[in-house]
């Protein structure tokens, strides 16, 4: 399980594969100076749903359990990016299973 730390005050755990995909989408938007909302659900947490405002001025840290990055599913990156560009903001959606396109 990897960890996303937001503004040194909030941390959330995601499996390394999911976190790697989130990192690509989040960094891509922040690199362009874009602000957006990010919402995720963790049924085991209290509260179970968290939303944060992502901005280039707010520090974020991505920490992974595995040294080697996983292969990326470009279709999943595309779906997550589309969500991040929507009015509702980035939401964690399931990885598409139809012929993933690996990339490094």
């Amino acid at each position: 399980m990897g960890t996303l730390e937001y503004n040194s005050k909030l941390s959330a755990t995601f499996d390394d594969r999911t976190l790697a995909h989130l990192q690509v989408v989040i960094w891509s938007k922040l690199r362009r100076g874009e602000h957006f909302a990010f919402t995720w659900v963790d049924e085991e947490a209290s509260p179970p749903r968290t939303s944060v405002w992502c901005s280039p001025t707010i520090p974020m840290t991505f920490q992974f359990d595995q040294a080697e990055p996983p292969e990326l599913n470009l279709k999943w990156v595309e779906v997550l990016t589309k969500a991040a560009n929507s009015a509702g903001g980035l939401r964690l959606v399931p990885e598409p299973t139809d012929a993933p396109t690996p990339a490094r």
Side-chain angles (χ1 to χ4, degrees), residues 28-44:
S28 177
K29 291 193 63 71
L30 295 179
R31 187 173 36 254
R32 291 190 299 268
E34 298 176 7
H35 306 255
F36 60 99
F38 173 33
T39 301
W40 67 90
V41 175
D42 180 354
E43 297 293 342
E44 297 176 17

Side-chain angles (χ1 to χ4, degrees), residues 49-72:
R49 184 171 53 102
T50 302
S51 291
V52 295
W53 185 247
C54 297
S55 166
T57 61
I58 299 171
M60 293 181 124
T61 305
F62 296 81
Q63 297 176 323
F64 297 88
D65 282 342
Q66 302 298 315
E68 288 298 315
E71 286 189 2
L72 294 177

Side-chain angles (χ1 to χ4, degrees), residues 10-97:
L10 175 71
S11 63
T13 57
F14 300 94
D15 65 81
D16 276 10
R17 181 168 179 74
T18 299
L19 190 59
H21 285 78
L22 290 171
Q23 181 184 39
V24 168
V25 173
I26 290 170
W27 279 3
S28 177
K29 291 193 63 71
L30 295 179
R31 187 173 36 254
R32 291 190 299 268
E34 298 176 7
H35 306 255
F36 60 99
F38 173 33
T39 301
W40 67 90
V41 175
D42 180 354
E43 297 293 342
E44 297 176 17
S46 180
R49 184 171 53 102
T50 302
S51 291
V52 295
W53 185 247
C54 297
S55 166
T57 61
I58 299 171
M60 293 181 124
T61 305
F62 296 81
Q63 297 176 323
F64 297 88
D65 282 342
Q66 302 298 315
E68 288 298 315
E71 286 189 2
L72 294 177
N73 177 340
L74 295 181
K75 181 66 175 170
W76 198 11
V77 170
E78 180 183 315
V79 170
L80 290 169
T81 299
K82 186 174 181 180
N85 291 333
S86 73
L90 177 59
R91 291 183 179 270
L92 192 53
V93 296
E95 181 173 5
T97 57

